[in-house]
Amino acid sequence: LRPPKLEKPKNIRYGEASRVFRRTVYTHDDWVRHRSADRFVRNLASITTSGVYKGMTREAVLITLLTAFVMLYNGCVTGFQDISGVYHDPIWSSPWLPPLTLPLPAFTLTSPSLSFLLAYRTNTAYQRWDEARKNWGMNINHTRDLVRMGNAYYDVTGATEEERKADLERLSLCTWAFVRSMKRHLSPEAEDEAQFKAELYERLPKSQAE
C-alpha cells in the first residue's frame, strides 16, 4: 500500500513564505533595540506590518467581526450602559432572542493552562540562557585542558629547554587569543573593541595581532 499523494498547496500563507527571513542572528545593536524602553510604542505602531499579524490576519479579522457582532446583538437585545453610566433599554425585547453568553466555569477551568503556558515559556527562555552559560564554561575548561595536555605530552626529544618553553608559551598565548577573540565576538563593539586590540598588541607579536 502506498500513502496517498498529497496535492501541493495552492495558496501559501505569509507564515510559510517568510520562514527564510527568520534565520537571522541577533547582533548587539538588535538586542539593545529589543530592550529599549520605547519598544512598547514601537511594537504598537508596527502591529499591521508584523509577521505575526500577517500570518494570523484571517483569524484576527474573524475574531474581531465575531466580537463586534456579539456586542452589537447583546446591546440591542438586553440593553447597554454607556460610558456616562446611563442605561439604555433594549431595542428588541423578545423571549425568542436570548443573549449570547458563555458559562463562566469554561474560563475558570482553562485559565490554569494559560499560567502553565507562560511558566513554560519563561523556563524555556531561562534554559537557553543557562545553556549558553554552560557552553561558555565548557569552552574555558577545554582550553585549559588543551594547555595542560600540551605541557604534559610535549615531546622533548631533540628540543632544548628554551625551545620547549617558547613552544608552550606560544601555545598558551594562541589559546588565550582564541578565548579572548570569542569574548570580543560576544560583546558589543563599543564596549570591548579598544581593550581587545590593546591586549592583543600587548601579548602577541605585531604581525600576529594584526
Side-chain angles (χ1 to χ4, degrees):
L1 296 178
R2 296 182 179 180
K5 186 177 181 181
L6 300 178
E7 297 182 358
K8 187 177 181 180
K10 298 180 180 179
N11 298 325
I12 300 178
R13 302 187 62 178
Y14 177 83
E16 292 297 328
S18 64
R19 293 183 66 87
V20 295
F21 303 107
R22 303 179 188 175
R23 300 168 185 171
T24 57
V25 179
Y26 260 40
T27 62
H28 304 293
D29 297 335
D30 295 328
W31 280 115
V32 172
R33 182 174 179 270
H34 178 71
R35 298 192 303 265
S36 63
D38 59 342
R39 64 183 183 275
F40 179 73
V41 179
R42 184 180 65 250
N43 293 337
L44 286 179
S46 61
I47 285 180
T48 57
T49 59
S50 66
V52 176
Y53 177 80
K54 291 181 179 179
M56 302 184 64
T57 303
R58 300 176 183 176
E59 293 84 350
V61 171
L62 178 61
I63 294 298
T64 303
L65 294 178
L66 184 60
T67 304
F69 170 76
V70 171
M71 291 183 61
L72 181 61
Y73 175 81
N74 287 341
C76 295
V77 172
T78 62
F80 64 95
Q81 184 177 359
D82 58 17
I83 58 177
S84 301
V86 179
Y87 177 78
H88 298 269
D89 294 329
I91 300 176
W92 306 313
S93 180
S94 173
W96 302 102
L97 296 175
L100 299 178
T101 59
L102 290 176
L104 186 61
F107 300 95
T108 305
L109 295 176
T110 57
S111 57
S113 61
L114 179 61
S115 62
F116 287 136
L117 178 62
L118 294 177
Y120 172 76
R121 291 181 62 86
T122 304
N123 292 337
T124 302
Y126 176 76
Q127 288 176 1
R128 294 178 180 176
W129 173 86
D130 189 58
E131 182 180 1
R133 183 184 64 85
K134 291 179 180 178
N135 288 336
W136 177 254
M138 182 176 59
N139 179 66
I140 295 178
N141 293 334
H142 286 177
T143 52
R144 289 175 179 173
D145 294 340
L146 178 62
V147 176
R148 186 178 69 251
M149 287 188 295
N151 282 272
Y153 296 104
Y154 185 87
D155 188 6
V156 296
T157 304
T160 62
E161 183 63 24
E162 289 75 11
E163 292 176 348
R164 176 182 180 276
K165 183 178 180 180
D167 292 339
L168 294 178
E169 183 177 358
R170 182 180 180 184
L171 173 64
S172 62
L173 285 177
C174 291
T175 306
W176 168 84
F178 168 74
V179 180
R180 186 62 181 86
S181 299
M182 182 176 295
K183 178 184 177 182
R184 163 61 193 88
H185 178 71
L186 298 175
S187 303
E189 181 177 359
E191 298 180 5
D192 195 44
E193 180 66 19
Q195 184 178 0
F196 171 66
K197 290 182 178 181
E199 293 180 3
L200 285 185
Y201 281 104
E202 179 183 357
R203 300 190 180 188
L204 298 178
K206 184 178 180 180
S207 59
Q208 188 175 0
E210 293 178 348

